[in-house]
Each structure stands twice: as C-alpha cells, then as structure tokens.
Amino acid sequence: MRETSQLPAPGSGAFVFTAQEIRELDADLARRDLLELTMEHAGARVAEVIHARFPTGPVLALAGGGANGGDTFVAARHLHALGREVYVLAQGTRHELAGRMRRRLEGLCPIELLTEERLCAGLSKTRVVLDGLLGTGFVPPLREELTQWIRRINEAGKTVVSLDLPTGLPSDTAGDGSDAERVRADLTLALVGFKPGLLFSEVGEVQVLDLGVPPALLERHAHASCITPEEVRALLPRRVRGAHKGTAGRVYVLGGRPGYTGAPSLTAYGALRAGSGLVALYSRAELPRHPVESMAHRIEDWNALTALPRPDAVALGMGLGEDSVPVARRVLSWKVPVVLDADALQSELRGAGHDAVVWTPHPGEAARLLGIGTGDITRDPFAAARALQLAYGGTVVLKGGPSVIATPGALRVCLAGNPGMATGGSGDVLSGVIAALLGAGLSAPEAAIAGVYLHAAAGDRAYARLGYGLIASDIAHEVAPAWHVLHQASSEIL
Ligand SMILES: NC(=O)C1=CN([C@@H]2O[C@H](COP(=O)(O)OP(=O)(O)OC[C@H]3O[C@@H](n4cnc5c(N)ncnc54)[C@H](OP(=O)(O)O)[C@@H]3O)[C@@H](O)[C@H]2O)[C@H](O)CC1
Ligand SMILES: [K+]
C-alpha cells in the first residue's frame, strides 16, 4: 500500500500494460510508422517534466542498450536544448532505433561508455539522475554489473527519475520487497500507461506520460484500466422524484455470531450510507451496535430465511463463521444479487455462484479460494483476480492497495484509497456499499466498480481528516459525502 500523496490523480483514467502488451503495441506502432515518433515524444515529455520539476543543476543520464536507453538519448537531447548540462553514460546500444537516437545526440553533450568508475564520478557531480537503463525489456535476474550500478545509484542520495520503470523492478509483477536490487526512484515517468509492477510495489511517485498514441491502440493492447470518477458518477443510481424507501433498494445483511457482532453492523452502515432504502440484518447473535436506521433480527435457525420476502440484494458472510457455506447456498438459490465476503469466501462454493455475485476477498481469502499462497496473490493481483473470476464466476473484487476488479470482460484497478484503510471492518463497509448499489439495480460489474471507488474515495476523505487513526465507521460515514460530491461535481472539478 502506498501513501495517498504518491498516487496519481484518480481521474487519470490510465491504462495498464504488461511487457508483452507493450511489445505488441510497439509492433502495431512500427507497422504504422509511429514508433520513432513515439520514442521522440517519450524523450521530449521526460525532459519537459524533469526541467519543470527539477529546474536547476546538472543531469546524469544513464542509457541502457535497449529502447529505454533510446528514450534516454532523446530526453538528453531535449534537456540540452533547454539549456541543461547533461552527461550521458551509455551501455553498448544494440537497439536499432535507439542507435539512431544516440547518433542524433552525439556532439551535443558528452556520451561515454558506462563503467562503475565513471558512474561514481558522475554521481558525485550531478543533481538529478535519469535512470534509463532497463524498462519493460528487463528479464530477471539482474546481471551482476547492473546490481553494482544500482547500489551506487541508491547510495548516492541524488534525486532519481526513472524512465518507464525503476531499473531492476519487474514490469509485470510486484517487486519482491527488497529494494537492494532496484533503483529507488523519487519519480517514475511511466510511458503510455502503468505497468503492473508500478501499481503493486513501493516505488515512490509515479506519473503517466501521454505519448499521443491513438486511444484505439491503447485500448486494444491494454491489460487493465483505472476506474475514473466520471464513469462512477455516470453509474450512480439516481432517485426519481417519487422515490420511497422501498424503491431505493432493500438489502439484507446476513452475518455475525456470538462474539462477532461488529462486522455485520459495519456492513449495514456501509449500505445505508450508499443509499439503501431499507437494511435488515439477520444474525444468530444479538447485534447491539447496529444502526438504529436498520432492523436487526436475531434468528435461532437459518431455515427462517425461507419465509422472508426476497430482498433486492444480500451481503453475506461478515462474522458469520461456519454457517456461511449453507447460508450462502440457500441465498444463491434465490438468484438475487449477492456480495459474498469474509467467512462466505470458501472453496466449497465454487460452481454455486451466478452472474450477479460479487466476491470480495482480501489476498488471504483469495489464496484460500485458489488453494495457493498469499504471496502468489500479491505478486500478481491481476492474474489472481482473473483466475478467481474464471473459477468462481460473477465479479471479483480483490482488495488491496490498490484493489483490483475482474469482471467477465475486463480487469480494472482503483487508484483512490490509502493505507489508512487497512483497519478492521473496512472490508465489511465495502460489502455494504456494493450491496446497496446492487440493490439499486446496478449489475455486478457496475456495483463492484462504483462500490470500490466510492469506498476508496470515502477512505481518502477520512484520511484527510483523521490520518492513520481512521476507523471503519469513519469510512462508512464518509461514503455519503463522497457520493454527494461525485453526484454534484462538474467534470471540470473531477
Ligand atoms: N509504447 C511504449 O511505451 C514505448 C516504449 N519504449 C521504451 O521501450 C522500453 C522497452 O525497450 P526494450 O528495448 O524492449 O527493452 P529495455 O530497453 O527495457 O531493455 C533491453 C535491454 O535490457 C538488457 N537486459 C535485459 N535483461 C537484463 C538483465 N537481467 N540484466 C541486465 N540487462 C538486461 C538487454 O540486454 P541484452 O544483452 O539482453 O540485449 C537490453 O540491452 C520501454 O521500457 C520504454 O522505455 C519505446 O520508446 C517505444 C514506445
Ligand atoms: K528505467
């Protein structure tokens, strides 16, 4: 999880690409004779951002042998044109296009072969380091000399701007947590879109640079896309003038057991704050702290559910314990929209779901559902969310920093949210928010997308007020103003 301040604006609507998808995009660009232009744009934009953010002092540009190095030569040329003192240390350039970019730089500023000695000398004199050694072409493990250079760069304590990816960070998966073998960048300028590694690792600030690639090409090759406030605003249910509590969505919360009574109450708060007209809780325990606006029923036997009128949506599993699987089976047979959370996330339910189910595991629960280790989930949350969706159907919300959603047709990621939300009950609130949206008529993918975003936006509001001391009920209460602001805001403000 990262600091709020390090995340790009949630409105960026950016795409995410794996290394393979970048190769395919590049091949597409090359067929249209756009690749060289794209590299030129990349270098120019990188120089522009560096000059704006760090306007004084020499720049040490480190260029690898591939296209990441090619972008670096272009950036060096533009920085030189902006009047900056630039010193380039380059590996042997093997990439044809990068070689052309290198020739265009020759004679403008010094370019020397990268050696450890020159690197140390260059680092001692520079203000900013431009890290263009490895990008999406990096195939782990790192070669020895690179490990040494990375150590030198990290020890120098200079401002480091990484081009596309911090050198040594895998493009497609989270880094392994040890940053000894990757450049510690202050700022990464990601080209065209995020790479999964940037989303799921501790990498400092990330800014996505638009390179003027036609949007149709971006969409064709993208792995995933970021949820935008604009799309969420369009999804939010609108109440008609004659609305009453029965038309705004009737949600049942099924959860809790003796000793575990807080979780379903938080879900009820989440559902009410996300606009549910009526919320009823059913539990085998007394729920002493349920919202007074909800109806809490203690039941002796889950068979009592049979006699109830069908709700518009159900949230199920929070604190429910071992009753979860039989209760979930019964509720799934109703064919109403359901959020399955917490204790209801059990592999016995594989095959029992339907299209209107939203599964909301955190990495530990996801690992249990897939029968693999938690590390395998956090290493590649996109792959894990997709695997869960294929195995269990419906829509999957894999909670984390950031949360990932797998719908039947797409992978989505939510850039809003902050580490303060890593607090007990936060997920219970999310289940309520999603259930409210399902109850108001949104499809499972729509409710998951809008619910995750609203919950994260609420968490950001709570964080702004309370910092890391925020608790789950603060998130629930901030859902209402987060919704209200989104509902009222003009697209300029977003
Ligand atoms: N559409 C776009 O976004 C564009 C992105 N561009 C840039 O292109 C790079 C990717 O370029 P590519 O040439 O595919 O690869 P890299 O430059 O990242 O890396 C290739 C060099 O890396 C060396 N390498 C690979 N693995 C290792 C390792 N384990 N240890 C050390 N060195 C390694 C490799 O060496 P070889 O000896 O194996 O050849 C290469 O020298 C992307 O990140 C963007 O920056 C383009 O500008 C086009 C548009
Ligand atoms: K790099």
Side-chain angles (χ1 to χ4, degrees):
M1 281 197 167
R2 284 109 46 87
E3 293 284 343
T4 318
S5 60
Q6 294 180 330
L7 292 170
S12 65
F15 291 102
V16 185
F17 299 88
T18 62
Q20 176 59 25
E21 286 155 353
I22 287 293
R23 277 191 286 279
E24 288 163 9
L25 172 64
D26 282 358
D28 218 337
L29 289 168
R31 275 195 295 278
R32 290 157 206 267
D33 212 8
L34 283 172
L35 190 58
E36 185 169 346
L37 203 59
T38 307
M39 193 182 271
E40 182 64 30
H41 275 312
R45 292 284 290 118
V46 166
E48 205 177 281
V49 174
I50 290 178
H51 193 52
R53 295 278 299 265
F54 313 106
T56 56
V59 178
L60 173 66
L62 306 173
N68 199 244
D71 297 336
T72 307
F73 294 127
V74 180
R77 174 158 43 81
H78 284 273
L79 282 164
H80 171 78
L82 289 163
R84 299 296 290 267
E85 184 190 332
V86 188
Y87 175 41
V88 183
L89 289 175
Q91 290 183 279
T93 306
R94 298 146 78 112
H95 191 276
E96 194 258 320
L97 193 52
R100 209 176 305 160
M101 298 306 183
R102 180 180 177 139
R103 285 193 293 282
R104 290 178 190 169
L105 179 67
E106 275 161 11
L108 299 176
C109 54
I111 310 175
E112 291 189 289
L113 186 68
L114 174 54
T115 62
E116 191 167 348
E117 203 185 348
R118 287 192 185 120
L119 177 64
C120 293
L123 284 168
S124 70
K125 289 185 223 137
T126 199
R127 153 103 167 82
V128 177
V129 180
L130 172 56
D131 156 34
L133 291 171
L134 296 176
T136 52
F138 166 47
V139 183
L142 267 182
R143 277 177 227 140
E144 179 53 30
E145 59 181 1
L146 257 295
T147 312
Q148 272 302 102
W149 294 343
I150 289 171
R151 193 167 304 141
R152 295 291 186 195
I153 295 166
N154 289 343
E155 282 167 3
K158 304 291 178 165
T159 299
V160 179
V161 179
S162 284
L163 206 156
D164 206 21
L165 282 165
T167 289
L169 183 80
S171 160
D172 297 352
T173 58
D176 63 4
S178 109
D179 53 13
E181 295 220 330
R182 63 174 189 251
V183 166
R184 276 200 302 273
D186 298 285
L187 171 65
T188 298
L189 299 174
L191 305 181
V192 169
F194 291 98
K195 314 300 169 309
L198 290 172
L199 293 171
F200 304 119
S201 316
E202 299 289 337
V203 289
E205 185 186 352
V206 181
Q207 193 177 327
V208 173
L209 300 186
D210 174 1
L211 303 187
V213 174
L217 293 195
L218 297 180
E219 257 169 64
R220 181 179 313 158
H221 295 287
H223 194 61
S225 61
C226 303
I227 299 172
T228 67
E230 291 84 354
E231 70 171 312
V232 174
R233 188 163 60 124
L235 287 173
L236 291 181
R238 313 230 154 200
R239 287 193 187 168
V240 293
R241 197 175 281 275
H244 58 83
K245 62 190 179 201
T247 60
R250 211 155 28 108
V251 169
Y252 287 177
V253 177
L254 311 185
R257 66 185 188 280
Y260 297 83
T261 57
S265 299
L266 285 165
T267 304
Y269 274 113
L272 285 164
R273 290 298 188 189
S276 258
L278 283 167
V279 175
L281 295 108
Y282 293 90
S283 180
R284 293 185 63 184
E286 288 290 346
L287 300 179
R289 294 182 303 275
H290 72 90
V292 292
E293 298 84 350
S294 63
M295 291 151 293
H297 307 278
R298 194 174 79 79
I299 52 175
E300 288 299 331
D301 184 344
W302 288 108
N303 284 324
L305 289 180
T306 319
L308 299 178
R310 297 286 184 264
D312 297 307
V314 177
L316 191 161
M318 298 69 52
L320 187 52
E322 59 189 20
D323 289 345
S324 292
V325 170
V327 174
R329 283 193 195 284
R330 186 189 296 267
V331 169
L332 287 168
S333 74
W334 295 352
K335 302 289 181 212
V336 300
V338 182
V339 181
L340 290 180
D341 188 26
D343 299 333
L345 295 166
Q346 302 295 343
S347 54
E348 293 99 303
L349 293 176
R350 196 170 176 148
H354 51 73
D355 290 350
V357 177
V358 180
W359 309 78
T360 58
H362 58 55
E365 291 157 346
R368 183 172 74 203
L369 288 170
L370 287 175
I372 58 178
T374 308
D376 296 321
I377 303 289
T378 51
R379 204 176 150 272
D380 189 350
F382 283 125
R386 174 53 69 221
L388 281 165
Q389 197 280 329
L390 287 172
Y392 288 84
T395 291
V396 171
V397 171
L398 177 54
K399 295 179 285 198
S403 292
V404 164
I405 298 169
T407 72
L411 286 169
R412 308 299 308 273
V413 59
C414 179
L415 297 183
N418 64 83
M421 298 169 74
T423 179
S426 174
D428 302 318
V429 173
L430 174 65
S431 296
V433 174
I434 297 174
L437 295 170
L438 287 170
L442 271 63
S443 67
E446 290 170 342
I449 289 165
V452 165
Y453 181 84
L454 265 181
H455 179 256
D460 284 344
R461 294 178 66 92
Y463 180 80
R465 220 162 34 85
L466 304 161
Y468 289 146
L470 74 86
I471 57 175
S473 52
D474 299 318
I475 303 175
H477 295 306
E478 291 289 355
V479 167
W483 173 309
H484 193 55
V485 164
L486 206 51
H487 191 72
Q488 293 198 317
S490 70
S491 40
E492 289 78 44
I493 295 170
L494 293 170

